[in-house]
Amino acid sequence: MESVRKNGRGMHYVLCAAILLLSLLLLGAGRFREDLTSRRIRAEQTKTACREAVAALENGIAERYRQSWSELAGAEPELFLRACSAGMKPQ
Amino acid sequence: MRGTMAAGGFKLKTLMILSFLLTWAAVAAAHVFYYAVARRDQSLTDARRIAWREAEIPALRGRILDRNGIPAAWSELYHELILERIPDSPRRRENLRQRMERVLPGAPAWTGKPPILLKSNLAPDEIVLFAREFRLFPEVRIVPAMRRVAAGSSEIRERIGKTAENNAGEIVGISGLERKYDMELSGRAGRVIVMLDRNGNWCNETLRITRRAENGKDVTADFALPAGTEASGERFEHAEN
C-alpha cells in the first residue's frame, strides 16, 4: 500500500515535469513563430525600400532597357540594388 | 573499515569532479563576461569591420531641359562586368575560366592586369544572369557607372557644358549650365549597410538602407532644341565615374 502511494507521488512529479516541459516547448514555439513573422515583415520592408531605391534610378536607364529593368528590378530589387551600389567600404 | 574507505574514495572523486566542473564553469563565465562586457565595444567593432560593409546608392543628376521641356542633357546609368582580380588558387582559376566560357563566350582573355572589363552596357537580364552565375566568384563584379548625355548642336552642347568627378567622387558641373546650376542638378547619394558572407555576397536579410538617394532637380534652359533632336540627336558621352 505504501509503495503504491509512493509510486503515485512519483507519477505526480513526472506529470508535473511533463507539463512544465510541454509549456516550455509551447512557449518556445510561440517565440519562434513570432520571430519568423517579424523576420518576414522585416524582409518585406527591406524589399519595398530596395524596390523604391531601384525605381528611383529607372529614369537613368537607357530607354531600350527601361521596360525590362522595371520588370526585373521589381521582382529582384536587392539584386539590382547591389548592382547599382558602389564604393563598398568597411563600416 | 573497507566500506568507510570506499565511501571516502567516492567522496574524494565526487569532490574532484565537482571542483573540475566548477572551475570550468567559472572560466566559461569569466570568458563570457570578458567578451560580453569588458571587450564588448572592441568585439562589436571587430565584427563590424570583418562582416559589415557600407555602400553608396548613386543619385541621378538632374536633367537640363530646353524651354519646351525636351531633355537636352541627362545622366545614364549603365553597368559593366569586371574581373577585379584573378583567383590565386589554380583550381578556382580553372573553375572561373570554365564558368566564363559557358556564360560569357567570347569574353576577353585574362592577359592584362586586372581589373579587366569583360562586358559593358549590360542589359537588365544580363545583370540577373551574371549576378547568379558569378555568385560564388567575388572576383567578378557588376559595377555601375554613369555617363552624361547631351543632345543638340555643338553650340547647344557648349552652352550645356560638361561635368567631371571631383576628389570626393562627386559629379560636378565644370562649365556652362552644368556649372551654373550645379547645386540644383546635384543629387545626394544614398547609403546602404549590409553584412557579407565569406564569398563577399550580400546577406539580404541584413540589408538596411540608412539613407535614401535623392536625385537632382531638373533645370529648364532658355534655348530650344531643333525639332527631332530628341529622337536622332547627336550625343556626346563622357564617363562620370
Side-chain angles (χ1 to χ4, degrees), chain A residues 39 42-43 46 49-50 52-53 56-66 68-69 72 76 78-91, chain B residues 48-49 52-58 60 75-77 79 121-125 127-128 131-132 141-142 144 192-193 200-202 204-205 207 209 212 215:
Chain A
R39 271 175 74 177
R42 211 168 46 235
T46 306
C50 291
E52 282 170 8
L57 295 169
E58 200 176 304
N59 281 341
I61 300 299
E63 225 170 297
R64 63 184 184 280
Y65 293 144
R66 212 168 282 170
S68 60
W69 171 276
L72 293 168
E76 293 189 71
E78 293 100 336
L79 189 150
F80 277 82
L81 187 73
R82 187 187 174 186
C84 290
S85 61
M88 188 78 93
K89 58 180 185 215
Q91 205 193 349
Chain B
R48 272 197 202 106
R49 187 173 45 79
W52 288 90
R53 292 286 182 278
E54 188 177 60
E56 280 200 344
I57 309 166
L60 292 176
S75 285
E76 238 177 50
L77 174 67
H79 293 83
N121 287 320
L122 301 180
D125 53 335
I127 292 175
V128 176
R132 282 184 185 153
R141 280 196 57 218
I142 296 169
V192 61
I193 56 167
N201 290 312
W202 286 20
N204 284 342
E205 283 191 359
L207 180 68
I209 294 175
R212 284 179 178 212
N215 291 339

Side-chain angles (χ1 to χ4, degrees), chain B residues 164-186:
Chain B
E165 197 178 288
N166 67 10
N167 291 339
E170 297 159 343
I171 307 304
V172 289
I174 53 169
S175 62
L177 296 172
E178 295 278 13
R179 185 177 175 183
K180 189 177 174 188
Y181 295 108
D182 190 54
M183 285 287 281
E184 291 86 342
L185 291 166
S186 295

Side-chain angles (χ1 to χ4, degrees), chain A residues 39-57:
Chain A
R39 271 175 74 177
R40 206 175 49 234
I41 292 169
R42 211 168 46 235
E44 203 49 55
Q45 283 171 346
T46 306
K47 205 166 197 152
T48 309
C50 291
R51 204 170 280 140
E52 282 170 8
V54 176
L57 295 169

Side-chain angles (χ1 to χ4, degrees), chain A residues 3-68:
Chain A
S3 71
V4 170
R5 197 178 292 158
K6 266 187 187 170
N7 268 347
R9 198 177 294 157
M11 282 306 287
H12 286 158
Y13 288 131
V14 170
L15 201 67
C16 280
I19 289 170
L20 189 72
L21 193 75
L22 269 172
S23 313
L24 287 174
L25 275 174
L26 282 171
L27 246 164
R31 286 195 66 148
F32 182 66
R33 202 176 148 198
E34 250 173 51
D35 191 43
L36 274 183
T37 314
S38 63
R39 271 175 74 177
R40 206 175 49 234
I41 292 169
R42 211 168 46 235
E44 203 49 55
Q45 283 171 346
T46 306
K47 205 166 197 152
T48 309
C50 291
R51 204 170 280 140
E52 282 170 8
V54 176
L57 295 169
E58 200 176 304
N59 281 341
I61 300 299
E63 225 170 297
R64 63 184 184 280
Y65 293 144
R66 212 168 282 170
Q67 177 70 27
S68 60

